[in-house]
């Protein structure tokens, strides 16, 4: 019988290895899998390449992972946002690498990677430093930059509901990058707030089919990044 629920955060994170590329869902704190990220900090895998919309806030979640020296490179759209101090400091001292990607391009690179599309052309970044070293082609009298699809060894994502087959639903905008990241990773690890029985989810409401999910852990009361930052939490 298929049952993708795991018993502990340690168990679900354990396969992550040094040097892995990891996609982490979230638009700011919306959809950020805080508990999975903190388990990754405890696990200790290092020299990670992380693909995310931003670089986290305060000293928790993704920012704490970076502060702990486990991330060697960030691929993101917003390396500096409100309450993000860890990454800017490390970047200024050349202790972490950055690949800056416009947000729409980031989403399409992940989607393309999940769809098996190796590269595509976009007008975004033409004539800017972000096009440096990239192929530029002209279509219909317009220049386009070639961008490569993104894939990862692992994806860490946050879902609202999950059944034992791995079918997922999300809570409104907390969906953001999670569905495409699940398709673009070799192994997708999920924290879900509400486990449900097989057949309980309306098939028309399932956003991520179970074929893209490997392991799930139930986190009934996920922590909120903004609350933790406001209260001055530091992890670990």
């Amino acid at each position: 019988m298929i049952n993708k629920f795991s018993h502990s955060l340690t168990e679900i994170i354990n396969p992550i290895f040094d040097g892995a590329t990891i996609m982490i869902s979230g638009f700011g704190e919306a959809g950020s899998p805080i508990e999975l990220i903190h388990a990754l900090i405890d696990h200790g895998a290092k020299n990670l390449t992380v693909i995310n919309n931003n670089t986290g806030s305060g000293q928790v979640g993704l920012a704490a992972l970076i502060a702990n020296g486990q991330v060697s490179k960030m691929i993101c759209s917003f390396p500096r946002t409100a309450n993000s101090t860890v990454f800017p400091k490390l970047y200024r001292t050349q202790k972490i690498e950055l690949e800056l990607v416009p947000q729409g391009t980031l989403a399409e690179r992940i989607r393309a990677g999940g769809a098996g599309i190796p590269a595509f052309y976009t007008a975004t970044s033409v004539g800017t430093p972000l096009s440096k070293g990239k192929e530029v082609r002209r279509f219909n009298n317009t220049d386009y930059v070639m961008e490569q699809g993104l894939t990862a060894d692992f994806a860490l994502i946050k879902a609202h509901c999950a059944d034992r087959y791995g079918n997922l639903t999300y809570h409104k905008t907390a969906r953001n990058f999670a569905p495409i990241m699940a398709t673009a990773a070799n192994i997708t690890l999920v924290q879900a707030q509400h486990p449900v029985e097989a057949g309980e989810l309306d098939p028309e409401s399932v956003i991520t089919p179970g074929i893209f999910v490997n392991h799930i852990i139930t986190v009934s009361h996920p922590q909120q990044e903004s609350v933790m930052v406001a209260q001055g939490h530091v992890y670990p």
Side-chain angles (χ1 to χ4, degrees):
M1 182 178 73
I2 296 175
N3 186 357
K4 297 184 178 181
F5 281 96
S6 297
H7 298 293
S8 70
L9 284 163
T10 301
E11 178 184 16
I12 199 173
I13 287 294
N14 191 56
I16 297 180
F17 51 85
D18 291 354
T21 296
I22 304 175
M23 293 179 175
I24 301 178
S25 68
F27 187 87
E29 74 170 336
S32 180
I34 296 291
E35 283 74 14
L36 284 177
I37 299 171
H38 287 176
L40 178 56
I41 294 173
D42 296 340
H43 174 57
K46 55 185 182 297
N47 194 30
L48 303 173
T49 295
V50 172
I51 301 167
N52 186 265
N53 179 64
N54 53 76
T55 61
S57 298
Q59 296 280 342
V60 297
L62 178 55
L65 182 70
I66 295 170
N68 207 42
Q70 293 173 249
V71 181
S72 60
K73 179 179 180 179
M74 283 296 309
I75 300 175
C76 70
S77 299
F78 298 99
R80 185 173 184 178
T81 55
N83 297 316
S84 64
T85 57
V86 173
F87 178 86
K89 181 178 179 180
L90 291 176
Y91 183 72
R92 285 194 298 267
T93 55
Q94 299 183 333
K95 294 181 180 178
I96 193 169
E97 186 179 351
L98 170 66
E99 182 177 339
L100 186 64
V101 186
Q103 184 170 275
T105 302
L106 179 66
E108 182 59 11
R109 288 182 67 185
I110 297 169
R111 189 203 69 81
I117 299 170
F120 60 92
Y121 290 93
T122 175
T124 306
S125 82
V126 169
T128 73
L130 297 183
S131 67
K132 184 177 180 181
K134 298 176 181 178
E135 178 184 331
V136 177
R137 290 188 63 180
R138 196 167 184 81
F139 299 95
N140 299 322
N141 297 317
T142 302
D143 288 336
Y144 294 85
V145 174
M146 188 181 78
E147 296 282 359
Q148 296 185 12
L150 283 171
T151 58
D153 300 300
F154 300 91
L156 307 184
I157 65 177
K158 181 180 182 180
H160 186 58
C161 298
D163 65 20
R164 61 182 174 85
Y165 294 115
N167 297 308
L168 308 177
T169 64
Y170 302 93
H171 184 63
K172 300 180 179 179
T173 56
R175 176 193 309 188
N176 51 74
F177 292 89
I180 54 175
M181 287 181 170
T183 69
N186 292 334
I187 297 175
T188 297
L189 309 177
V190 180
Q191 68 172 70
Q193 188 169 1
H194 301 288
V196 300
E197 296 296 327
E200 188 174 336
L201 294 176
D202 178 359
E204 294 297 326
S205 299
V206 170
I207 305 300
T208 297
I211 193 171
F212 295 113
V213 172
N214 298 91
H215 303 287
I216 311 163
I217 187 73
T218 300
V219 180
S220 299
H221 302 285
Q223 299 180 83
Q224 299 300 312
E225 182 178 282
S226 59
V227 173
M228 298 176 73
V229 172
Q231 293 177 346
H233 285 252
V234 176
Y235 196 89

